[in-house]
Amino acid sequence: MLSGDEEEHAVLLCNYFLHMGKKAWVLLGSAVPEGPTAYVLTHESNGDYLLWNPSSGEFFTQHNPFCPMQSVGCLINQDNIWANMQEYDGPMRMSFDTSKEAQWKPFFSRSYPNPGLSSIQPDQLVYLPTDKDYVAELQDRIERKLRDKVMEWRPHSITRWNRYCTQIFRRLLSRLEQSRGRGMADEHRAELEPVLASYKMSGFPMQMPYTEDNPVVEAVFSTGVHQLQGKDVEFALAVHIHPYPNSVLSVWVYVASLVRKR
């Protein structure tokens, strides 16, 4: 699926902090609204402990009353696993000093030393380029499929496509990926100005990772753009796929309805 769950995000973020030289642990516990989940705990140079939500990037100090983490069960790093043995398991009322065995029971100890388990990860990660011909073919196929679906969803109406607006959408989509959709409002408006001078436009671009066709089709259907009726209504739809290594694909779809101004 080219995605990870909360535990995998926590392991990744913890390893990133360890590489930076920080003291970091994967923290297993219970949070609101996730329930059982994984966070990352770091010990900062000023003595503070920070709890990081690895999925959102948010972090909270140990004594922040708004921290979503409600209870802490164990801590994990490259050296050991510690079980919380304290009376309280809320972050605000507990100590994170794992050197105190009365508060944190270690899995590895003098009687059962760490055997020095090797990593299951390869020494080097190989990133293979994505086939550009495949991406171009997939982009054309998805765009044709979406056009067919829009017409299928409007069985009692003629669906007219505005080719000029579609060309503008194609140019915009590639730039949206490059800018990650930020800081383009003025440029976006300027590109669409020739269309907006003659049409009332209702629509927007959307982005998603590619796994298969159906989620893309469902996303376009959920916009409801196809529901607009009237003899003057036209439609524009464009698809852009940006390839990343190892066949990771970012899909952009711009869909809109247009009604000529009178």
Side-chain angles (χ1 to χ4, degrees):
M1 295 296 292
L2 302 177
S3 62
D5 58 17
E6 294 158 345
E7 291 82 2
E8 290 168 319
H9 278 80
V11 170
L12 182 63
L13 181 60
C14 183
N15 285 335
Y16 178 72
F17 285 145
L18 291 171
H19 180 73
M20 292 173 60
K22 284 179 173 287
K23 294 181 179 179
W25 302 260
V26 172
L27 183 156
L28 300 183
S30 182
V32 176
E34 297 95 334
T37 189
Y39 269 45
V40 174
L41 176 74
T42 58
H43 192 193
E44 302 300 313
S45 57
N46 61 1
D48 289 344
Y49 286 95
L50 300 181
L51 290 85
W52 299 76
N53 182 328
S55 298
S56 68
E58 294 178 290
F59 65 89
F60 306 85
T61 61
Q62 176 185 358
H63 300 290
N64 186 336
F66 298 104
C67 178
M69 183 61 65
Q70 301 297 297
S71 63
V72 177
C74 74
L75 297 175
I76 307 167
N77 69 4
Q78 74 277 22
D79 298 320
N80 215 327
I81 303 169
W82 293 267
N84 182 15
M85 306 298 292
Q86 299 171 64
E87 180 180 359
Y88 303 105
D89 59 4
M92 293 181 64
R93 305 185 68 182
M94 61 185 295
S95 167
F96 285 113
D97 187 353
T98 56
S99 65
K100 298 179 180 179
E101 291 194 12
Q103 297 178 344
W104 291 97
K105 185 175 180 61
F107 183 80
F108 298 117
S109 60
R110 291 180 181 177
S111 59
Y112 184 63
N114 187 337
L117 300 174
S118 60
S119 173
I120 64 171
Q121 301 293 338
D123 293 333
Q124 290 185 331
L125 297 177
V126 179
Y127 293 93
L128 300 175
T130 300
D131 187 339
K132 293 183 178 180
D133 291 336
Y134 163 74
V135 173
E137 180 183 343
L138 179 64
Q139 178 176 296
D140 291 341
R141 178 169 63 80
I142 291 178
E143 185 169 304
R144 289 196 304 270
K145 186 172 187 176
L146 291 176
R147 288 175 182 273
D148 291 342
K149 284 294 182 180
V150 170
M151 292 187 285
E152 179 184 315
W153 298 331
R154 308 178 73 253
H156 304 296
S157 303
I158 297 175
T159 303
R160 298 180 178 85
W161 297 100
N162 189 305
R163 295 182 180 180
Y164 177 63
C165 187
T166 296
Q167 292 174 356
I168 294 176
F169 284 177
R170 289 198 182 106
R171 292 198 299 268
L172 285 171
L173 289 180
S174 61
R175 297 175 198 166
L176 283 170
E177 176 65 29
Q178 294 167 6
S179 66
R180 293 168 176 78
R182 299 173 184 171
M184 277 196 59
D186 292 340
E187 181 181 352
H188 201 137
R189 193 178 300 108
E191 282 276 6
L192 290 173
E193 188 60 35
V195 175
L196 297 177
S198 303
Y199 292 88
K200 294 179 181 179
M201 191 182 86
S202 177
F204 47 85
M206 47 190 168
Q207 185 275 339
M208 65 204 78
Y210 179 76
T211 53
E212 55 183 2
D213 291 1
N214 285 343
V216 182
V217 174
E218 292 170 2
V220 172
F221 180 80
S222 68
T223 66
V225 169
H226 61 279
Q227 295 178 353
L228 187 63
Q229 302 295 324
K231 62 181 181 180
D232 296 330
V233 64
E234 300 177 30
F235 294 89
L237 186 148
V239 174
H240 173 74
I241 299 180
H242 185 88
Y244 289 94
N246 283 7
S247 297
V248 175
L249 305 177
S250 173
V251 180
W252 285 85
V253 180
Y254 207 140
V255 59
S257 61
L258 303 101
V259 177
R260 186 175 292 277
K261 295 179 180 178
R262 297 182 179 180

